Amino acid sequence: MDAVLDDIARHWPLYAAIPFVAALIGYVTKRVAIEMMFRPLEWTGIKGTFLGWQGVVPRHGGRMAAIATDLLTANLLDIRDVFDRIDSGRIAREIEQPLLRAVDDIARDVLAEYHPRMWDRLPPMAQELIVKQLQASSPRLVRQLMDEVRENLDDVLDVKHMTVQRLTQDKALLVRLIRETSRPEMAFIARSGIYFGFVLGIVQSVIWAVTKEPLVMPIFGACIGFFTDWLAIKLIFVPREPVRVFHRFTLQGKFQRRRTEVARQYGELIAREVLTVPNLMESILRGPRSDRLMAMIRRMVAEAIDEQASAAKPLVTVAIGTRRLEEMKRAAAAKAIERMPDTVSHAEGYLTKAMNVANMVEERMMKLTPVEYEGLLRPAFRQDEWKLIVVGGVIGFIVGELQVLLMLH
């Protein structure tokens, strides 16, 4: 024992440094593990070999997007409730001016294209009268379309397909969705490496002083990297429910404790990045069920044209011809669909506020069970978690070897 104490006294700076080096190992291994979860977005390495890496989240983007979407659509969001909050009359008022301009352009273009002689021969007053009649019926058409979309929402919008496609195509968005809602947990993992590493480093220095065994350093380095990675990840999620210790302290997984904050952040991200008005319009107009909406619009436009032409239908049929009239209806519907995104964009502010997606997601997330709530983040760690822990152990082992070289020289 005297020899051990004498050695510590003579080399105290080296012994004092061991816990700090161990803390550094703990921190570095955690930072590496965190970055490996999210970076790089694309596979980087030597082509044709296994020597490379792609972030765990972007590499399993499809699976994680599906998990996030299932949680969103099953527990956090009812798209029918979202659309029920929209007032059809208010939509018509919000887009009134751009709608009138669109009807004016469409009417003049279609009539000039399909019956130029008749249109050109009409006096300007008559042309204006026809356009005004079509414009007068357009707000009713908007309300009718909105009501039909609401009643047949599942037929025209596949929100699950839209969400998965959005998150899969935009890997940076998927990473941001997970990283932004778990930033404090990531910081906790990194900090925990310092604390756990320092404590184990003290034990490491004592064992080295007693044994002088070269394997002590790399083995402890590997244990620090391996064990602290594993423990830090566990402490994020467990215990799920608050547990009282010694009637004074409360233990609960950090992610579970932050549910109120996470619910707010997640709701805002979903509303701002995923279930936006442009994204919903894109899915409705170009998604897998868009053909049903197109059929709905074509039918309603045709009915509107027939209604306007009803008073003089025999004359219109003779002047234009039945086939030509049907072509005009299809052309008018196609132009209406083409103009729809730009027209609806003028109501984006109202729609975003009315749908209030962020608030709905936040409220429903607060009602999840601890296990359901954990599913928001846990898959990001569970997938290839063992690889991250092993990497931490390997880095710790290498740094431990460097410690041995320093101690021996």
Side-chain angles (χ1 to χ4, degrees), residues 107-331:
R108 294 177 188 278
D109 289 348
V110 170
L111 287 169
E113 178 180 354
Y114 285 87
H115 210 297
R117 286 185 181 179
M118 182 188 76
W119 183 249
D120 290 340
R121 289 175 180 174
L122 285 174
M125 186 175 296
Q127 292 181 351
E128 289 295 329
L129 180 61
I130 293 173
V131 171
K132 292 297 183 185
Q133 286 179 324
L134 291 171
Q135 287 177 329
S137 65
S138 58
R140 178 178 55 80
L141 203 62
V142 169
R143 291 192 295 271
Q144 183 183 346
L145 176 62
M146 189 65 215
D147 291 340
E148 287 205 26
V149 167
R150 188 166 21 230
E151 291 174 11
N152 302 279
L153 192 57
D154 292 335
D155 293 334
V156 299
L157 175 63
D158 187 343
V159 70
K160 184 173 286 191
H161 175 273
M162 181 201 77
T163 307
V164 170
Q165 186 179 50
R166 177 92 173 107
L167 294 176
T168 304
Q169 291 178 347
D170 190 348
K171 295 176 183 177
L173 172 58
L174 180 62
V175 166
R176 194 160 61 251
L177 191 65
I178 296 174
R179 191 159 198 168
E180 288 299 316
T181 53
S182 63
R183 194 171 293 279
E185 283 69 36
M186 300 305 167
F188 167 77
I189 289 176
R191 288 197 307 270
S192 68
I194 298 175
Y195 309 141
F196 296 150
F198 190 86
V199 172
L200 290 174
I202 294 173
V203 178
Q204 184 183 22
S205 63
V206 172
I207 295 176
W208 170 262
V210 173
T211 65
K212 287 295 191 299
E213 172 58 54
L215 287 177
V216 167
M217 295 298 187
I219 289 175
F220 259 85
C223 289
I224 292 169
F226 187 93
F227 174 71
T228 57
D229 275 11
W230 174 83
L231 183 60
I233 292 174
K234 292 300 179 186
L235 288 177
I236 288 177
F237 301 106
V238 295
R240 294 188 178 107
E241 301 285 358
V243 176
R244 295 288 291 175
V245 179
F246 304 125
H247 303 289
R248 295 187 62 185
F249 306 103
T250 301
L251 295 180
Q252 188 180 18
K254 186 173 181 62
F255 190 62
Q256 296 287 353
R257 289 201 310 270
R258 285 199 323 113
R259 182 187 291 219
T260 301
E261 181 184 350
V262 171
R264 178 180 53 78
Q265 290 178 333
Y266 197 76
E268 289 175 354
L269 275 168
I270 292 296
R272 188 173 66 245
E273 304 275 7
V274 181
L275 287 174
T276 64
V277 173
N279 287 347
L280 287 169
M281 283 299 301
E282 176 73 17
S283 182
I284 290 174
L285 292 176
R286 296 180 179 83
R289 301 175 184 175
S290 60
D291 58 323
R292 300 168 194 180
L293 179 73
M294 303 307 172
M296 190 183 297
I297 293 174
R298 281 194 291 267
R299 174 178 56 78
M300 294 176 67
V301 170
E303 289 174 355
I305 293 174
D306 285 340
E307 181 182 338
Q308 295 301 319
S310 59
K313 191 164 186 180
L315 181 61
V316 170
T317 303
V318 171
I320 300 177
T322 303
R323 184 178 63 82
R324 198 70 167 166
L325 183 60
E326 291 303 316
E327 289 177 356
M328 288 176 63
K329 293 176 184 178
R330 287 194 293 270

Side-chain angles (χ1 to χ4, degrees), residues 26-43:
Y27 179 78
V28 169
T29 55
K30 303 304 163 292
R31 290 306 318 177
V32 170
I34 290 169
E35 294 306 316
M36 288 178 65
M37 286 182 60
F38 302 110
R39 299 182 183 178
L41 291 178
E42 303 294 341
W43 192 88

